[in-house]
Amino acid sequence: SIRRQRQMCIRDSYSLFGSLKYSLNDKDGGVVLTNTAKSFTAYSATGTPLATERAKRDAQDRLMVILAEQVLTRISILSQL
């Protein structure tokens, strides 16, 4: 029974992958930094279609936060140099 439940979770699990290409320019328009943030997150399709859609949206929100934090961290490190 436990094995069967784990298979369902794996089968009903979805991964979202994201990348964000960005550039930071100085006041004269020169490129200071160009980079790409990449990450992934996952969600499970459980319960009703409405619950699955909510889980998908939550995963999309998490992915955007992860990518934004990567960009902010990189810019923060650059500003301390």
Side-chain angles (χ1 to χ4, degrees), residues 24-32:
L24 179 64
N25 299 342
D26 62 19
K27 63 182 179 181
D28 299 322
V31 176
V32 176

Side-chain angles (χ1 to χ4, degrees), residues 28-76:
D28 299 322
V31 176
V32 176
L33 171 69
T34 300
N35 204 352
T36 302
K38 297 178 184 178
S39 193
F40 70 96
T41 190
Y43 68 96
S44 295
T46 58
T48 66
L50 181 61
T52 298
E53 184 61 30
R54 183 70 243 171
K56 180 181 178 180
R57 288 184 189 173
D58 288 344
Q60 290 169 335
D61 290 347
R62 281 194 311 275
L63 182 58
M64 295 303 107
V65 169
I66 292 166
L67 294 174
E69 287 176 346
Q70 287 182 15
V71 172
L72 290 174
T73 299
R74 179 66 74 159
I75 291 172
S76 176

